[in-house]
Amino acid sequence: MLRVGVVGTGMIGQDHIRRMTTVLAGVEVAAVTDVDAETAKRVAEGLPGAVVHGTGEELIADPGVDAVVVCSWGPTHEQYVLASIAAGKPVFCEKPLATTEGACRRIVEAEVAHGSRLVQVGYMRRYDEAYRALKAVVDSGRIGAPLMMHCAHRNASVPAHYEKEMAITDTAVHEIDMVRWMFGEEITATRVLVPRRSRNGGALQDPLILVLETASGAIVDVEISVNIRYGYDIRGEVVGEEGTAALGELTPVTLRASRQLVSPIPADWRERFRRAYDVELQEWVDSIAGGGRPVGPSAWDGYAAAVVSDASVAALRGGSRVEVTLMPRPDLYADAA
Ligand code: NAD
Ligand code: ISE
């Protein structure tokens, strides 16, 4: 049984604890911590035998913790991932790996110095049935060479602590990672278009459109809306030389009544990606059980997404096209996307 310690017991921390304790096999939650000690204590009440630690560092050092799941705010990820690597413990870090290129680079360098993979990043779209089916079509060649992709990432609302640039660093990073994986190549340049502001977005610049260029010359547009009100809506359509392929509508039932066609829309990411998170974490547990290495999205993937994210923030601030340059990829990540 893999004994996991969870750092950060907010929304996704609690959701991952629920799945590790009631859905997945071969894993138990042995320890939790949160800067909000009351939240950690309350969450631990539902976890018989789990220890509540005062800090993430104490949790990581606990000999009763075999592996770490980091679910705290993005800017705090670096310290916990670096501490896990220093302790030689596998660490699943929710996205983004860290919020800046520099922080991700330090993580990559620490893992390379360690000499084997310990880090996996929570880019769960790679585990989603619809995204996997879309990639299978693209890889099959059935629509010819991919030329463009149109994406929309719409949140009904976002928490009060969500700041302007998080539309890129916390939300669009999902598409940034997905595009690298879907197209099997790096993103080489980015621009950000700024439409008229939604009155639902308060001080946020909402919506935004990212325009990403890939190494082969494909162009991907990504609409980011974070106060769309009507639900959580994730879209993607790849345009190829011979056809197009799009993420399917995921609803299990559509209702025709009263002269209307009705199908439900997920409330948020927990509902839309429920199964993807299950598969992602079960595969992570299975990969590291018995001393194995993680095989999912790596620190390199987290680094590459952060470089594009930083470039997009610069493009948003400066209003121009920004080129993306990655450092040479270390051999440790030779099989990365
Ligand atoms: P949240 O605010 O609900 O929870 C974060 C928790 O971390 C809070 O309880 C907070 O007190 C705690 N925290 C903050 N700083 C800390 C620190 N230094 N040490 C320990 N705990 C600390 O936020 P959330 O929505 O659960 O997001 C958490 C992370 O998960 C973010 O990185 C976010 O991007 C990511 N996330 C990923 C997905 C996904 O689809 N993969 C979905 C939601 C959130
Ligand atoms: C959140 O952190 C997530 O990762 C969700 O998947 C995303 O839709 C949301 O915009 C982020 O804030």
Side-chain angles (χ1 to χ4, degrees):
M1 187 69 74
L2 183 78
R3 299 168 303 172
V4 162
V6 177
V7 180
T9 53
M11 281 192 291
I12 203 159
Q14 290 179 36
D15 202 41
H16 283 341
I17 287 170
R18 174 195 60 75
R19 66 175 37 83
M20 286 191 280
T21 52
T22 66
V23 181
L24 308 188
V27 58
E28 67 183 21
V29 177
V32 296
T33 188
D34 196 295
V35 279
D36 179 349
E38 279 308 306
T39 304
K41 199 166 144 243
R42 185 170 43 75
V43 168
E45 279 164 11
L47 299 169
V51 180
V52 182
H53 283 288
T55 67
E57 283 77 7
E58 272 174 38
L59 176 143
I60 292 162
D62 182 344
V65 167
D66 303 318
V68 180
V69 171
V70 177
C71 296
S72 50
W73 293 324
T76 71
H77 291 179
E78 178 189 6
Q79 72 187 89
Y80 299 129
V81 174
L82 288 177
S84 301
I85 294 171
K89 295 189 180 181
V91 52
F92 176 93
C93 180
E94 258 311 330
K95 45 62 58 180
L97 174 60
T99 46
T100 64
E101 170 179 358
C104 290
R105 186 190 279 258
R106 288 188 285 276
I107 290 171
V108 164
E109 286 168 355
E111 194 177 43
V112 168
H114 173 78
S116 60
R117 276 198 60 187
L118 288 173
V119 180
Q120 179 164 327
V121 189
Y123 283 120
M124 79 297 179
R125 286 166 190 230
R126 298 177 182 221
Y127 298 86
D128 178 66
E129 195 183 355
Y131 274 108
R132 284 184 164 183
L134 180 57
K135 180 166 168 56
V137 170
V138 171
D139 289 347
S140 73
R142 194 137 177 241
I143 61 168
L147 306 172
M148 294 182 282
M149 184 169 184
H150 306 297
C151 307
H153 184 158
R154 300 182 184 139
N155 287 237
S157 63
V158 283
H161 68 79
Y162 190 95
E163 293 163 0
K164 179 174 171 180
E165 289 171 353
M166 287 173 74
I168 294 170
T169 61
D170 199 62
T171 297
V173 281
H174 278 295
E175 274 74 18
I176 291 171
D177 177 70
M178 179 276 293
V179 165
R180 295 181 60 250
W181 167 77
M182 180 71 67
F183 286 70
E185 59 180 339
E186 297 297 349
I187 293 166
T188 52
T190 174
R191 270 167 287 175
V192 180
L193 307 182
V194 180
R196 183 166 75 86
R197 277 188 191 191
S198 162
R199 64 182 173 174
N200 297 330
L204 300 175
Q205 174 51 62
D206 180 32
L208 288 177
I209 297 177
L210 272 68
V211 181
L212 307 172
E213 298 172 30
T214 73
S216 70
I219 296 216
V220 180
D221 57 272
V222 184
E223 172 205 317
I224 302 293
S225 293
V226 295
N227 287 280
I228 202 80
R229 299 281 169 92
Y230 71 82
Y232 186 73
D233 200 4
I234 301 296
R235 292 167 175 254
E237 180 188 34
V238 179
V239 179
E241 289 171 326
E242 312 289 342
T244 68
L247 297 172
E249 296 295 340
L250 299 163
T251 179
V253 63
T254 51
L255 166 70
R256 286 174 167 81
S258 309
R259 302 189 62 232
Q260 289 191 320
L261 174 62
V262 184
S263 57
I265 299 172
D268 63 18
W269 37 270
R270 281 173 289 213
E271 189 179 340
R272 167 63 183 81
F273 288 109
R274 177 184 297 265
R275 180 77 191 127
Y277 298 123
D278 290 349
V279 175
E280 169 191 55
L281 275 181
Q282 185 66 66
E283 288 190 11
W284 176 68
V285 167
D286 294 346
S287 69
I288 61 173
R293 299 292 160 201
V295 292
S298 66
W300 174 259
D301 294 314
Y303 160 80
V307 177
V308 179
S309 167
D310 273 9
S312 301
V313 169
L316 172 63
R317 288 180 187 160
S320 59
R321 177 178 177 277
V322 176
E323 296 202 348
V324 173
T325 309
L326 302 183
M327 67 178 173
R329 186 169 65 186
D331 292 344
L332 184 60
Y333 310 108
D335 59 355

